Amino acid sequence: MNPNLAKLHSYPFEKLAKLKQYCTPPAGKQHIALSIGEPSHPIPSLITEAIIENLHGLSDYPTIAGTQELCKFIADWLDQRFRLSGNIYGKSQVIPVNGTREAIFAFAQAVIDHKQQTPLVLMQNPFYQIYEGAAILAGAEPYFLNCNAENNFIPKFNEVKAKIWDRCQLLYLCSPGNPTGAVINTEVLATLIELAHKHNFIIASDECYSEIYFDDKYRPVGLLQAAIYAGYKTLSRCIVFHSLSKRSNAPGLRSGFVAGDSKIMKQFLRYRTYHGCAMAPTTQLASIAAWRDETHVTTNRILYQEKFAAVLKLLSPVINVKQPNAGFYLWAETPIPDTTFTKKLFAEQNVTVLPGSYLARDTNNGNPGSNRIRIALVAPLDKCIDAAHRIRACISTLDN
Ligand SMILES: Cc1ncc(COP(=O)(O)O)c(C=O)c1O
C-alpha cells in the first residue's frame, strides 16, 4: 500500500461520531444538526428543470474539458463577478469538475514535484481537511499557518520565513474561510501573488463560499481579481476553485470548476485525462442554467442573512461569537473545552456542532481550533433559532 495513506488523519466527522457514541440525548427533543456544511435551502427549480429537460444528454460521452458553452458561461461569470476585464478565456482557462472537493485534491497530485527536498504545501489552520490529505498523498508536507482572533483569522503571511516560501510548491487559500468566515483582502492577495512569483509556487484559492455574504458593499474579492489588480493579466500562478454546492444549494449536483493560469490549466487537463471524471452532459447543462442566474443566489443570501441575525441576537449575549465576513458558519468560542462542550450540548439538548479542534492541528503555538465550535447555519430558520435557544440553555447550566 501507499505508505502515505497511514499518515492521513481521520476525518472530523469520524471523530465527532466517536465523541457522541455513548451519549443518549433526550428523546423529547428533535435532533438539530449544525455540524455538516451541507446547504439545505431548496435547490432552485431552474436547476432541476434543466436536468429533466436534458436527460437525453446522458447518451453521449462527455469530455474532460467540458463543453465550450459551459466553459464560456463560467468565464463570463468570473469576468463579471470579479471584474477581470475580459482576461479569462473559457477554452484555455476553465475546467468544469464534479464538485470542487475532488479537484482540490487532484490539483496537488498534478502540480507537486517530488524530486525536490520534501516540498511544502502551505495552508491556513483551521482548514478544510482535503488540503492536508491532498498534500500528504502528493508526497508533500503540510505546513500550517495559524488563524486566530489576534490576527483576525488571516495568517500573518509576512512572518513566514523566506526558506519556507522557498520550499513551498503550493499554497492553498480558503477565502471566505471555512470555518472562520474571514475574507482575505486584495492587498494581501496581491502580496501573496508577488511571493508566488519570487519563490516559484502556485496559489490554489478555494472560493466556494464567495457568494454567501451579508452586504453587497463587502462582496468577497477573489484571487483572479487580485491578480488583475497586481498587473498579472495572464493570471500566472493563480488558480481558483468555485462550486455550485453552496452558491446554488446544489451539493448533490456535484458541479464546480477550476480556473486560472492557462499553462497550469493545460497540465491539469493532461492530468485529468487520466484521472479526472468528465461531468455528465446533463449536469453541464444544468450548471449553465445555474451560473447564468443570480436571482436565486440573492434569495439564498437573504435566507442566510435572516438566520445570522436571529441566531446572533440569541447567542452573542452569552458567548463570544461574531458575524463572519462571509460563509454560513459561526466560529464561536466555548467557555469549556470544545469537545466537552460539543458532547454536553448533544447529550443534553440533542444539537450537534463540530469541535473546532477537529478542524485544526496542534502547532508550537497551540491548536487554533481549541475552545471553538463550528456552527453551520444550514438548517431552516426556525430550527436554527431553536438550536440557539438550546445552546443558551446548555451554557446556562455552566454558570451554576
Ligand atoms: C472549504 C470547502 N471547499 C470545498 C468544499 C467542497 O465543495 P464541493 O465538492 O461540494 O464543491 C467544501 C465543502 O464543504 C468546503 O467547505
Side-chain angles (χ1 to χ4, degrees), residues 2 9 14 75 102 132 166 177 211 237 242 265 283 306 312 328 359 369:
N2 180 343
H9 292 253
E14 281 175 64
E102 64 90 359
E132 181 193 52
D166 281 339
E211 304 315 289
R237 301 191 173 277
H242 281 267
M265 291 300 289
T283 311
E306 283 169 0
L312 281 169
F328 51 55
L359 293 166

Side-chain angles (χ1 to χ4, degrees), residues 326-342:
F328 51 55
Y329 301 109
L330 286 173
W331 187 231
E333 222 175 294
T334 51
I336 54 175
D338 52 314
T339 47
T340 317
F341 185 85
T342 303

Side-chain angles (χ1 to χ4, degrees), residues 293-305:
D293 182 74
E294 289 298 329
T295 311
H296 74 280
V297 189
T298 308
T299 311
N300 197 26
R301 268 195 292 276
I302 292 169
L303 292 176
Y304 284 117
Q305 285 160 5

Side-chain angles (χ1 to χ4, degrees), residues 99-101 104 128 131 174 178 206 208-209 243 245-246 254:
T100 49
R101 181 186 173 118
I104 288 167
Y128 177 54
Y131 313 144
C174 187
N178 171 5
D206 177 356
C208 75
Y209 293 93
S243 172
S245 300
K246 325 286 178 187
R254 310 312 299 132

